[in-house]
Each structure stands twice: as structure tokens, then as C-alpha cells.
């Protein structure tokens, strides 16, 4: 029987590499920013992050660079990394990007008779059913998550990889905006029928014009309501309670 020391020496231990470390750090910091643990304007001090994550500084720096590319972190001279502020113009830009990417995805689905696949249609139907059910519950977070997943399922189903990647990046910003703004969604039932069930029905019928109309209207209303809120001089943290577009 091999000795214990022999077993330990023959074991194949795989240390975490810098790439994996930076990805882990980026995931952790990203989640903290989305949830508001790190607030807009907060400095992200490398020494503190290395201590908390038990990771060396190089992967931390790589993680911060990645988050900077995603728009969550600003890299400032003499200050280092700072959590990006919620800039109204950036939020409006995000909605415009999501609307445009959705149009590309829907047109791609229309041009391929085998898309969406039966498996994807089942997922979309499940999300649509959930949207109606969740609209009647007090906790709006489940509604928001379900709606974002419904949107991303459509984008991914198109097979447009860049489109899916860019859309996923903007989803992070939408999640952060929802968490920090304190928006209360009061029209979830009607939105579920119009923007989820209605869109699914249009996709099933391969009615591209109706699908595009519903998709564009969803984001146009989000922009209109947000601009109206700004015109009234209300800060983002007191967003209109009538806004119900994710």
C-alpha cells in the first residue's frame, strides 16, 4: 500500500492561473457593483480587493480593465479605478443599443425557417407563462429577471454571436440601473401580455412586422418615460413608478 507522502506527491493539483483568477475577480466585483455594494463614485483600491479576494494584484488589474470596457468602472489618472456613475445619456444609449440588437436578431430568426428551434420555443413559452404568473406577485425582481432572460433567449436563438455578446454586456448595465434606481414597476400584468406574450405570438406566427413593432415599442417607451422623468427634474433614484420596461 503506497505511503501517504507518495500519494500526495503523485496527486495532480491544478493551481488557478492568472486568466482564471482575473475572471473570478471580474465576476465578484461586477456582482458587487450591480448589487450596489460598490456604489457610483467609490474607489476600487487594488490592495483592498487583493485582500478580500486573496488574489494577486495582476489579475485584479486585468479584472478592472475588463470592467472598464463593460462601462462599469472608470479608470482615472491619479485615482485608479472608480465605479462608474449612472449617467442618463449612457442609460438611454444602452436602451437604443438593445433595441437595435433585438431588431437584428428578430430579422435573423425570420430569415431562417428552422429558427427558433423547437427547444428554444419551449423556453420562450415557459418564460411567457412565468411572466404572466410573476406579474401578480409582490416581488418585482423575479419579473425583471424573467423578462431579461426572455429577451436574451431571443437574441441567442438568432445565432448572431456578436449580437448576443453585446446584448449580454448591456444586460449587466440594465440590472445595475434597476437595482440602484429604485424603480417600482406597477404595470407588470399589461406589460407581460403586450411585450412577452404578444411578442411570442408574433414570433410563432412569423409576423416579423408585428414582432419588430412590439420590440421597438418596448424600448421606445422606456426611453420616453425616462426622459419625461428627467424633464420633471427627478433624480434616477426616484424614477417614475409608471415605468415598467426592463
Amino acid at each position: 500500500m503506497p505511503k501517504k507522502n507518495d500519494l500526495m506527491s503523485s496527486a495532480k493539483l491544478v493551481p488557478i492561473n492568472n486568466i482564471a483568477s482575473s475572471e473570478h475577480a471580474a465576476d465578484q466585483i461586477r456582482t458587487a457593483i450591480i448589487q450596489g455594494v460598490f456604489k457610483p463614485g467609490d474607489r476600487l483600491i487594488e490592495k483592498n480587493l487583493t485582500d478580500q479576494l486573496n488574489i494577486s494584484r495582476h489579475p485584479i488589474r486585468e479584472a478592472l480593465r475588463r470592467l472598464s470596457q463593460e462601462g462599469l468602472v472608470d479608470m482615472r489618472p491619479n485615482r485608479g479605478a472608480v465605479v462608474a456613475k449612472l449617467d442618463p445619456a449612457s442609460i438611454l444609449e444602452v436602451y437604443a443599443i438593445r433595441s437595435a440588437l433585438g431588431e437584428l436578431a428578430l430579422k435573423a430568426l425570420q430569415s431562417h425557417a428552422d429558427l427558433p428551434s423547437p427547444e428554444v420555443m419551449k423556453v420562450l413559452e415557459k418564460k411567457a407563462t412565468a411572466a404572466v404568473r410573476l406579474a401578480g406577485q409582490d416581488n418585482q425582481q423575479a419579473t425583471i429577471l424573467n423578462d431579461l432572460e426572455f429577451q436574451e433567449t431571443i437574441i441567442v436563438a438568432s445565432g448572431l454571436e456578436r449580437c448576443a455578446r453585446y446584448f449580454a454586456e448591456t444586460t449587466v448595465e440594465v440590472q445595475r440601473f434597476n437595482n440602484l434606481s429604485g424603480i417600482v414597476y406597477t404595470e407588470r400584468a399589461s406589460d407581460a401580455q403586450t411585450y412577452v406574450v404578444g411578442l411570442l405570438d408574433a414570433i410563432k406566427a412569423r409576423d416579423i412586422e408585428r414582432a419588430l413593432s412590439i420590440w421597438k415599442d418596448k424600448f421606445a417607451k422606456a426611453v420616453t418615460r425616462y426622459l419625461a422623468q428627467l424633464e420633471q427634474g427627478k433624480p434616477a433614484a426616484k424614477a417614475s413608478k409608471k415605468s415598467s420596461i426592463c
Side-chain angles (χ1 to χ4, degrees):
M1 182 175 180
K3 295 181 181 180
K4 184 176 181 180
N5 287 341
D6 292 336
L7 290 173
M8 290 297 293
S9 63
S10 63
K12 295 183 178 180
L13 303 179
V14 182
I16 189 168
N17 57 38
N18 279 345
I19 294 176
S21 296
S22 66
E23 289 177 350
H24 174 72
D27 287 342
Q28 293 292 308
I29 300 169
R30 183 188 298 110
T31 298
I33 292 174
I34 291 172
Q35 293 178 347
V37 176
F38 295 141
K39 295 178 172 52
D42 283 355
R43 288 186 62 198
L44 298 173
I45 301 172
E46 289 182 8
K47 177 64 168 61
N48 294 345
L49 295 173
T50 58
D51 291 345
Q52 292 179 52
L53 294 170
N54 195 27
I55 295 175
S56 64
R57 287 202 173 190
H58 180 70
I60 292 293
R61 288 170 184 165
E62 288 300 315
L64 293 175
R65 288 193 190 98
R66 178 179 304 183
L67 296 175
S68 176
Q69 293 174 345
E70 294 178 11
L72 296 178
V73 171
D74 290 332
M75 304 300 291
R76 299 180 181 177
N78 303 322
R79 287 200 68 194
V82 177
V83 178
K85 294 183 178 180
L86 284 178
D87 178 63
S90 297
I91 295 299
L92 299 180
E93 182 182 8
V94 165
Y95 282 128
I97 291 172
R98 289 173 74 80
S99 180
L101 293 175
E103 289 185 51
L104 289 174
L106 288 169
K107 289 177 180 178
L109 292 177
Q110 179 69 17
S111 64
H112 294 82
D114 58 336
L115 296 178
S117 68
E119 292 75 20
V120 170
M121 287 304 300
K122 288 180 180 178
V123 174
L124 292 175
E125 289 170 355
K126 183 178 179 180
K127 294 297 179 185
T129 300
V132 175
R133 173 175 53 81
L134 294 171
Q137 298 181 4
D138 291 335
N139 185 356
Q140 68 177 18
Q141 293 305 314
T143 290
I144 294 171
L145 179 60
N146 185 75
D147 187 49
L148 293 175
E149 290 176 348
F150 178 79
Q151 295 172 35
E152 289 212 27
T153 300
I154 292 173
I155 304 299
V156 172
S158 70
L160 302 176
E161 294 183 2
R162 290 184 181 85
C163 190
R165 185 167 69 250
Y166 300 151
F167 196 83
E169 289 179 2
T170 62
T171 296
V172 171
E173 295 188 76
V174 171
Q175 289 175 314
R176 180 177 178 233
F177 171 65
N178 274 286
N179 288 338
L180 296 182
S181 66
I183 291 177
V184 176
Y185 298 124
T186 59
E187 300 176 5
R188 287 185 285 152
S190 61
D191 284 347
Q193 291 295 336
T194 302
Y195 299 115
V196 182
V197 176
L199 181 55
L200 176 59
D201 288 343
I203 292 174
K204 283 182 178 179
R206 305 198 72 78
D207 187 341
I208 185 63
E209 295 303 322
R210 182 155 62 99
L212 288 173
S213 177
I214 292 171
W215 183 272
K216 289 188 287 186
D217 184 57
K218 175 184 180 69
F219 294 100
K221 282 190 175 180
V223 170
T224 299
R225 288 167 176 171
Y226 191 70
L227 287 176
Q229 166 202 319
L230 293 180
E231 289 173 2
Q232 293 170 6
K234 296 179 181 179
K238 295 181 180 178
S240 171
K241 290 189 177 183
K242 291 185 178 180
S243 176
S244 53
I245 308 296
C246 302

mmCIF file of all heavy atoms in Angstrom, residues 176-207:
data_model
loop_
_atom_site.group_PDB
_atom_site.id
_atom_site.type_symbol
_atom_site.label_atom_id
_atom_site.label_comp_id
_atom_site.label_asym_id
_atom_site.label_seq_id
_atom_site.Cartn_x
_atom_site.Cartn_y
_atom_site.Cartn_z
ATOM 1 N N ARG A 176 -27.902 46.792 -13.171
ATOM 2 C CA ARG A 176 -27.371 47.778 -12.234
ATOM 3 C C ARG A 176 -28.315 48.971 -12.117
ATOM 4 O O ARG A 176 -28.585 49.462 -11.018
ATOM 5 C CB ARG A 176 -25.990 48.229 -12.714
ATOM 6 C CG ARG A 176 -25.334 49.270 -11.798
ATOM 7 C CD ARG A 176 -23.945 49.597 -12.319
ATOM 8 N NE ARG A 176 -23.320 50.617 -11.493
ATOM 9 C CZ ARG A 176 -22.805 51.750 -11.959
ATOM 10 N NH1 ARG A 176 -22.865 52.015 -13.246
ATOM 11 N NH2 ARG A 176 -22.246 52.625 -11.147
ATOM 12 N N PHE A 177 -28.821 49.441 -13.252
ATOM 13 C CA PHE A 177 -29.729 50.581 -13.248
ATOM 14 C C PHE A 177 -30.981 50.275 -12.431
ATOM 15 O O PHE A 177 -31.426 51.083 -11.622
ATOM 16 C CB PHE A 177 -30.114 50.938 -14.678
ATOM 17 C CG PHE A 177 -31.207 51.969 -14.764
ATOM 18 C CD1 PHE A 177 -31.006 53.261 -14.296
ATOM 19 C CD2 PHE A 177 -32.444 51.649 -15.310
ATOM 20 C CE1 PHE A 177 -32.015 54.208 -14.358
ATOM 21 C CE2 PHE A 177 -33.448 52.586 -15.374
ATOM 22 C CZ PHE A 177 -33.242 53.871 -14.902
ATOM 23 N N ASN A 178 -31.535 49.083 -12.646
ATOM 24 C CA ASN A 178 -32.740 48.694 -11.903
ATOM 25 C C ASN A 178 -32.479 48.639 -10.401
ATOM 26 O O ASN A 178 -33.298 49.098 -9.603
ATOM 27 C CB ASN A 178 -33.250 47.333 -12.393
ATOM 28 C CG ASN A 178 -34.166 47.459 -13.593
ATOM 29 O OD1 ASN A 178 -35.309 47.878 -13.480
ATOM 30 N ND2 ASN A 178 -33.653 47.121 -14.756
ATOM 31 N N ASN A 179 -31.340 48.087 -10.018
ATOM 32 C CA ASN A 179 -31.025 47.937 -8.594
ATOM 33 C C ASN A 179 -30.792 49.272 -7.903
ATOM 34 O O ASN A 179 -31.182 49.459 -6.746
ATOM 35 C CB ASN A 179 -29.797 47.042 -8.415
ATOM 36 C CG ASN A 179 -30.084 45.588 -8.708
ATOM 37 O OD1 ASN A 179 -31.221 45.148 -8.657
ATOM 38 N ND2 ASN A 179 -29.052 44.834 -9.036
ATOM 39 N N LEU A 180 -30.146 50.212 -8.604
ATOM 40 C CA LEU A 180 -29.796 51.478 -7.981
ATOM 41 C C LEU A 180 -30.880 52.546 -8.107
ATOM 42 O O LEU A 180 -30.925 53.472 -7.300
ATOM 43 C CB LEU A 180 -28.496 52.016 -8.591
ATOM 44 C CG LEU A 180 -27.240 51.183 -8.361
ATOM 45 C CD1 LEU A 180 -26.032 51.874 -8.976
ATOM 46 C CD2 LEU A 180 -27.007 50.953 -6.865
ATOM 47 N N SER A 181 -31.734 52.429 -9.099
ATOM 48 C CA SER A 181 -32.726 53.478 -9.334
ATOM 49 C C SER A 181 -33.925 53.398 -8.396
ATOM 50 O O SER A 181 -34.584 54.391 -8.131
ATOM 51 C CB SER A 181 -33.235 53.417 -10.782
ATOM 52 O OG SER A 181 -33.956 52.212 -11.003
ATOM 53 N N GLY A 182 -34.211 52.190 -7.905
ATOM 54 C CA GLY A 182 -35.370 52.030 -7.030
ATOM 55 C C GLY A 182 -36.699 52.112 -7.761
ATOM 56 O O GLY A 182 -37.735 52.406 -7.159
ATOM 57 N N ILE A 183 -36.707 51.874 -9.062
ATOM 58 C CA ILE A 183 -37.936 51.928 -9.843
ATOM 59 C C ILE A 183 -38.920 50.870 -9.346
ATOM 60 O O ILE A 183 -38.546 49.737 -9.081
ATOM 61 C CB ILE A 183 -37.650 51.700 -11.342
ATOM 62 C CG1 ILE A 183 -36.895 52.890 -11.923
ATOM 63 C CG2 ILE A 183 -38.926 51.442 -12.118
ATOM 64 C CD1 ILE A 183 -36.515 52.717 -13.374
ATOM 65 N N VAL A 184 -40.178 51.255 -9.235
ATOM 66 C CA VAL A 184 -41.246 50.320 -8.868
ATOM 67 C C VAL A 184 -42.108 50.090 -10.106
ATOM 68 O O VAL A 184 -42.673 51.030 -10.664
ATOM 69 C CB VAL A 184 -42.111 50.878 -7.718
ATOM 70 C CG1 VAL A 184 -43.262 49.923 -7.423
ATOM 71 C CG2 VAL A 184 -41.267 51.089 -6.472
ATOM 72 N N TYR A 185 -42.181 48.863 -10.541
ATOM 73 C CA TYR A 185 -42.955 48.526 -11.734
ATOM 74 C C TYR A 185 -44.398 48.222 -11.348
ATOM 75 O O TYR A 185 -44.672 47.258 -10.642
ATOM 76 C CB TYR A 185 -42.329 47.319 -12.438
ATOM 77 C CG TYR A 185 -40.929 47.578 -12.930
ATOM 78 C CD1 TYR A 185 -39.875 46.767 -12.538
ATOM 79 C CD2 TYR A 185 -40.666 48.648 -13.776
ATOM 80 C CE1 TYR A 185 -38.590 47.018 -12.997
ATOM 81 C CE2 TYR A 185 -39.393 48.904 -14.230
ATOM 82 C CZ TYR A 185 -38.350 48.084 -13.847
ATOM 83 O OH TYR A 185 -37.080 48.342 -14.296
ATOM 84 N N THR A 186 -45.321 49.033 -11.832
ATOM 85 C CA THR A 186 -46.727 48.880 -11.458
ATOM 86 C C THR A 186 -47.602 48.390 -12.600
ATOM 87 O O THR A 186 -48.800 48.205 -12.415
ATOM 88 C CB THR A 186 -47.282 50.222 -10.955
ATOM 89 O OG1 THR A 186 -47.151 51.202 -12.002
ATOM 90 C CG2 THR A 186 -46.526 50.682 -9.718
ATOM 91 N N GLU A 187 -47.019 48.203 -13.776
ATOM 92 C CA GLU A 187 -47.799 47.770 -14.941
ATOM 93 C C GLU A 187 -47.332 46.404 -15.442
ATOM 94 O O GLU A 187 -47.345 46.120 -16.632
ATOM 95 C CB GLU A 187 -47.699 48.812 -16.054
ATOM 96 C CG GLU A 187 -48.222 50.169 -15.640
ATOM 97 C CD GLU A 187 -48.032 51.223 -16.717
ATOM 98 O OE1 GLU A 187 -47.576 50.848 -17.830
ATOM 99 O OE2 GLU A 187 -48.323 52.394 -16.464
ATOM 100 N N ARG A 188 -46.931 45.573 -14.524
ATOM 101 C CA ARG A 188 -46.333 44.291 -14.914
ATOM 102 C C ARG A 188 -47.316 43.375 -15.627
ATOM 103 O O ARG A 188 -46.938 42.647 -16.547
ATOM 104 C CB ARG A 188 -45.745 43.597 -13.685
ATOM 105 C CG ARG A 188 -44.466 44.254 -13.192
ATOM 106 C CD ARG A 188 -43.854 43.482 -12.050
ATOM 107 N NE ARG A 188 -44.576 43.668 -10.814
ATOM 108 C CZ ARG A 188 -44.630 42.782 -9.831
ATOM 109 N NH1 ARG A 188 -44.037 41.613 -9.963
ATOM 110 N NH2 ARG A 188 -45.281 43.046 -8.720
ATOM 111 N N ALA A 189 -48.567 43.388 -15.235
ATOM 112 C CA ALA A 189 -49.553 42.496 -15.859
ATOM 113 C C ALA A 189 -49.762 42.850 -17.325
ATOM 114 O O ALA A 189 -49.721 41.978 -18.209
ATOM 115 C CB ALA A 189 -50.872 42.569 -15.097
ATOM 116 N N SER A 190 -49.964 44.135 -17.611
ATOM 117 C CA SER A 190 -50.186 44.542 -19.003
ATOM 118 C C SER A 190 -48.913 44.389 -19.826
ATOM 119 O O SER A 190 -48.966 44.009 -21.006
ATOM 120 C CB SER A 190 -50.684 45.988 -19.061
ATOM 121 O OG SER A 190 -49.736 46.874 -18.500
ATOM 122 N N ASP A 191 -47.767 44.679 -19.217
ATOM 123 C CA ASP A 191 -46.507 44.516 -19.936
ATOM 124 C C ASP A 191 -46.238 43.060 -20.281
ATOM 125 O O ASP A 191 -45.701 42.748 -21.349
ATOM 126 C CB ASP A 191 -45.347 45.059 -19.099
ATOM 127 C CG ASP A 191 -45.293 46.578 -19.113
ATOM 128 O OD1 ASP A 191 -45.993 47.178 -19.951
ATOM 129 O OD2 ASP A 191 -44.566 47.149 -18.290
ATOM 130 N N ALA A 192 -46.596 42.154 -19.375
ATOM 131 C CA ALA A 192 -46.405 40.724 -19.630
ATOM 132 C C ALA A 192 -47.205 40.289 -20.853
ATOM 133 O O ALA A 192 -46.707 39.542 -21.707
ATOM 134 C CB ALA A 192 -46.812 39.910 -18.405
ATOM 135 N N GLN A 193 -48.418 40.772 -20.949
ATOM 136 C CA GLN A 193 -49.276 40.405 -22.086
ATOM 137 C C GLN A 193 -48.781 41.049 -23.387
ATOM 138 O O GLN A 193 -48.743 40.405 -24.433
ATOM 139 C CB GLN A 193 -50.716 40.840 -21.812
ATOM 140 C CG GLN A 193 -51.409 40.052 -20.719
ATOM 141 C CD GLN A 193 -51.612 38.593 -21.086
ATOM 142 O OE1 GLN A 193 -51.663 38.215 -22.259
ATOM 143 N NE2 GLN A 193 -51.730 37.746 -20.074
ATOM 144 N N THR A 194 -48.393 42.318 -23.303
ATOM 145 C CA THR A 194 -48.006 43.050 -24.516
ATOM 146 C C THR A 194 -46.618 42.690 -25.013
ATOM 147 O O THR A 194 -46.430 42.373 -26.194
ATOM 148 C CB THR A 194 -48.058 44.568 -24.260
ATOM 149 O OG1 THR A 194 -49.376 44.931 -23.858
ATOM 150 C CG2 THR A 194 -47.676 45.348 -25.509
ATOM 151 N N TYR A 195 -45.636 42.735 -24.104
ATOM 152 C CA TYR A 195 -44.245 42.639 -24.533
ATOM 153 C C TYR A 195 -43.636 41.257 -24.422
ATOM 154 O O TYR A 195 -42.545 41.022 -24.949
ATOM 155 C CB TYR A 195 -43.401 43.637 -23.738
ATOM 156 C CG TYR A 195 -43.832 45.061 -23.952
ATOM 157 C CD1 TYR A 195 -44.356 45.816 -22.904
ATOM 158 C CD2 TYR A 195 -43.746 45.647 -25.212
ATOM 159 C CE1 TYR A 195 -44.775 47.124 -23.104
ATOM 160 C CE2 TYR A 195 -44.165 46.950 -25.424
ATOM 161 C CZ TYR A 195 -44.680 47.687 -24.369
ATOM 162 O OH TYR A 195 -45.100 48.978 -24.587
ATOM 163 N N VAL A 196 -44.322 40.333 -23.759
ATOM 164 C CA VAL A 196 -43.810 38.968 -23.670
ATOM 165 C C VAL A 196 -44.725 38.016 -24.433
ATOM 166 O O VAL A 196 -44.315 37.433 -25.439
ATOM 167 C CB VAL A 196 -43.653 38.521 -22.195
ATOM 168 C CG1 VAL A 196 -43.066 37.112 -22.132
ATOM 169 C CG2 VAL A 196 -42.749 39.489 -21.434
ATOM 170 N N VAL A 197 -45.959 37.889 -23.981
ATOM 171 C CA VAL A 197 -46.904 37.001 -24.671
ATOM 172 C C VAL A 197 -47.145 37.488 -26.100
ATOM 173 O O VAL A 197 -47.139 36.692 -27.054
ATOM 174 C CB VAL A 197 -48.242 36.923 -23.901
ATOM 175 C CG1 VAL A 197 -49.248 36.075 -24.684
ATOM 176 C CG2 VAL A 197 -48.019 36.352 -22.503
ATOM 177 N N GLY A 198 -47.338 38.794 -26.260
ATOM 178 C CA GLY A 198 -47.587 39.343 -27.591
ATOM 179 C C GLY A 198 -46.418 39.122 -28.530
ATOM 180 O O GLY A 198 -46.610 38.762 -29.704
ATOM 181 N N LEU A 199 -45.206 39.319 -28.029
ATOM 182 C CA LEU A 199 -44.019 39.117 -28.873
ATOM 183 C C LEU A 199 -43.857 37.645 -29.231
ATOM 184 O O LEU A 199 -43.525 37.300 -30.372
ATOM 185 C CB LEU A 199 -42.781 39.626 -28.143
ATOM 186 C CG LEU A 199 -41.445 39.513 -28.890
ATOM 187 C CD1 LEU A 199 -41.518 40.197 -30.247
ATOM 188 C CD2 LEU A 199 -40.318 40.106 -28.055
ATOM 189 N N LEU A 200 -44.106 36.771 -28.264
ATOM 190 C CA LEU A 200 -44.011 35.338 -28.531
ATOM 191 C C LEU A 200 -45.013 34.926 -29.610
ATOM 192 O O LEU A 200 -44.679 34.159 -30.515
ATOM 193 C CB LEU A 200 -44.257 34.540 -27.249
ATOM 194 C CG LEU A 200 -44.271 33.017 -27.398
ATOM 195 C CD1 LEU A 200 -42.949 32.508 -27.965
ATOM 196 C CD2 LEU A 200 -44.574 32.354 -26.057
ATOM 197 N N ASP A 201 -46.226 35.433 -29.521
ATOM 198 C CA ASP A 201 -47.254 35.109 -30.525
ATOM 199 C C ASP A 201 -46.821 35.575 -31.913
ATOM 200 O O ASP A 201 -47.045 34.876 -32.916
ATOM 201 C CB ASP A 201 -48.588 35.759 -30.149
ATOM 202 C CG ASP A 201 -49.250 35.091 -28.956
ATOM 203 O OD1 ASP A 201 -48.863 33.957 -28.622
ATOM 204 O OD2 ASP A 201 -50.158 35.710 -28.356
ATOM 205 N N ALA A 202 -46.198 36.740 -31.989
ATOM 206 C CA ALA A 202 -45.742 37.266 -33.280
ATOM 207 C C ALA A 202 -44.625 36.402 -33.848
ATOM 208 O O ALA A 202 -44.566 36.147 -35.061
ATOM 209 C CB ALA A 202 -45.266 38.709 -33.108
ATOM 210 N N ILE A 203 -43.733 35.928 -32.981
ATOM 211 C CA ILE A 203 -42.647 35.061 -33.430
ATOM 212 C C ILE A 203 -43.204 33.726 -33.925
ATOM 213 O O ILE A 203 -42.772 33.199 -34.955
ATOM 214 C CB ILE A 203 -41.633 34.832 -32.293
ATOM 215 C CG1 ILE A 203 -40.895 36.139 -31.968
ATOM 216 C CG2 ILE A 203 -40.636 33.736 -32.657
ATOM 217 C CD1 ILE A 203 -39.979 36.063 -30.759
ATOM 218 N N LYS A 204 -44.172 33.189 -33.191
ATOM 219 C CA LYS A 204 -44.801 31.932 -33.606
ATOM 220 C C LYS A 204 -45.453 32.067 -34.977
ATOM 221 O O LYS A 204 -45.367 31.171 -35.828
ATOM 222 C CB LYS A 204 -45.864 31.521 -32.583
ATOM 223 C CG LYS A 204 -45.338 30.911 -31.302
ATOM 224 C CD LYS A 204 -46.513 30.522 -30.411
ATOM 225 C CE LYS A 204 -46.059 29.866 -29.129
ATOM 226 N NZ LYS A 204 -47.221 29.520 -28.259
ATOM 227 N N ALA A 205 -46.121 33.193 -35.198
ATOM 228 C CA ALA A 205 -46.829 33.427 -36.460
ATOM 229 C C ALA A 205 -45.885 33.864 -37.568
ATOM 230 O O ALA A 205 -46.305 34.035 -38.712
ATOM 231 C CB ALA A 205 -47.907 34.489 -36.244
ATOM 232 N N ARG A 206 -44.603 34.049 -37.215
ATOM 233 C CA ARG A 206 -43.585 34.545 -38.143
ATOM 234 C C ARG A 206 -44.022 35.879 -38.748
ATOM 235 O O ARG A 206 -43.784 36.168 -39.923
ATOM 236 C CB ARG A 206 -43.269 33.509 -39.227
ATOM 237 C CG ARG A 206 -42.866 32.146 -38.672
ATOM 238 C CD ARG A 206 -42.166 31.292 -39.697
ATOM 239 N NE ARG A 206 -40.816 31.780 -39.992
ATOM 240 C CZ ARG A 206 -39.744 31.573 -39.205
ATOM 241 N NH1 ARG A 206 -39.861 30.880 -38.088
ATOM 242 N NH2 ARG A 206 -38.573 32.057 -39.550
ATOM 243 N N ASP A 207 -44.654 36.678 -37.915
ATOM 244 C CA ASP A 207 -45.095 38.018 -38.298
ATOM 245 C C ASP A 207 -44.004 39.000 -37.891
ATOM 246 O O ASP A 207 -44.032 39.580 -36.802
ATOM 247 C CB ASP A 207 -46.423 38.349 -37.596
ATOM 248 C CG ASP A 207 -47.027 39.652 -38.065
ATOM 249 O OD1 ASP A 207 -46.288 40.478 -38.642
ATOM 250 O OD2 ASP A 207 -48.233 39.869 -37.823
#
